[in-house]
Amino acid sequence: MMNYISMLKEHGLKATFQRMHILEVIGECGHKDIDEIYAEVIKIHPSLSLATIYKNIIIMGQSGVLSEVPVVGKKSKYEIVKADHIHLICTHCGSIEDKHTSIDSENLLDQLAASEHFNLDKKEINLYGTCGHCQNIKAS
Amino acid sequence: MMNYISMLKEHGLKATFQRMHILEVIGECGHKDIDEIYAEVIKIHPSLSLATIYKNIIIMGQSGVLSEVPVVGKKSKYEIVKADHIHLICTHCGSIEDKHTSIDSENLLDQLAASEHFNLDKKEINLYGTCGHCQNIKAS
DNA sequence: AAAAGTAACGATAATCATTGTAATTTATTC
DNA sequence: GAATAAATTACAATGATTATCGTTACTTTT
Ligand SMILES: [Mn+2]
Ligand SMILES: [Mn+2]
Ligand SMILES: [Zn+2]
Ligand SMILES: [Zn+2]
């Protein structure tokens, strides 16, 4: 649980309860696309407009509150900005798991960027495959 | 330069010249989105339909000829399937550069997946930042 | 506290992106 | 070079995203 009010204000955004609802859904469920966020949010706040979700996803993205996770063959997911991490993306059930491993590959990627005179802002590592749960289902 | 006819046939696809044009554009230019492919391809073959591009991007993707490169804030790019590699994506000019470095992080990621009982199919590593060229422009 | 000013919201229209349809054309096989 | 199945095209239909504008909710000023 987090304080979304201060999170929004620190990024210069008004803390409307529409934004709060959006952040709560993303914060609890992890990685959600626009439609999933909308479906969740109208359970609590049925009058909230889909256009409001689009506008706020964009503005919270630009402000550094949310980050986009583009996924092969799917709509982009959105998550609260956090430290760099790796995604395990199951192509069967669509689940996305964060892996905050302090894997040493980070340094290697920093070195690679430096050697290419590339000014690195963000590292994105996504592993696609089959999660343990879906492997068991297939085996049965 | 490559032989796209055999590439298509090996994947069980008819070698139409529409597909050849699409592959030539992607093969020469590297990473292109649907609209860029269309714009290039109609220079040579003006009657080629945009719907044909959509359908062939999908079918060549499913057949393993093309792979999708989703990009934050942009339409997905497509490239010819090749060995795993890293992308340097410039957020200023949009350029995408391949880096076929045999970086050791690959093994680390394999190990991570194995330790999570995750059956790994594909590794995606994208580095976002500013390319050398765009850094020079800003400095001037 | 009322008024004024500003930012955000909601409904819906408009636009843009993608997919489906059906008639025609093309590539492959014999 | 026919037969056959698959692919292409033009366009309709659908789906996704953005723009508009009147309304609402906050904030600041009298
Ligand atoms: Mn994540
Ligand atoms: Mn590439
Ligand atoms: Zn799964
Ligand atoms: Zn650049």
Side-chain angles (χ1 to χ4, degrees), chain B residues 57-105:
Chain B
I57 289 291
I58 291 172
I59 203 169
M60 289 194 282
Q62 292 170 340
S63 307
V65 175
L66 295 183
S67 73
E68 179 186 349
V69 182
V71 178
V72 171
K74 305 254 183 188
K75 284 188 168 185
S76 285
K77 314 290 184 186
Y78 298 90
E79 67 180 339
I80 311 278
V81 167
K82 60 190 84 155
D84 269 347
H85 58 278
I86 293 173
H87 286 132
L88 301 182
I89 303 175
C90 178
T91 49
H92 289 82
C93 66
S95 71
I96 301 182
E97 192 180 349
D98 284 350
K99 227 63 220 171
H100 282 272
T101 169
S102 62
I103 197 166
D104 198 51
S105 69

Side-chain angles (χ1 to χ4, degrees), chain A residues 5-24:
Chain A
I5 295 178
S6 54
M7 183 185 292
L8 286 165
K9 291 194 172 168
E10 282 166 14
H11 289 86
L13 296 175
K14 276 194 183 177
T16 67
F17 59 94
Q18 287 89 347
R19 287 174 186 163
M20 306 285 280
H21 284 312
I22 294 171
L23 289 178
E24 276 163 18

Side-chain angles (χ1 to χ4, degrees), chain A residues 46-57:
Chain A
S47 70
L48 201 156
S49 165
L50 179 57
T52 296
I53 300 203
Y54 273 101
K55 289 171 196 163
N56 278 309
I57 290 291

Side-chain angles (χ1 to χ4, degrees), chain A residues 30-31 69 79-80 82 85-87 96-100:
Chain A
H31 311 80
V69 182
E79 67 179 339
I80 311 279
K82 60 190 84 157
H85 58 278
I86 292 172
H87 286 133
I96 302 182
E97 192 179 350
D98 285 350
K99 227 63 219 172
H100 280 272

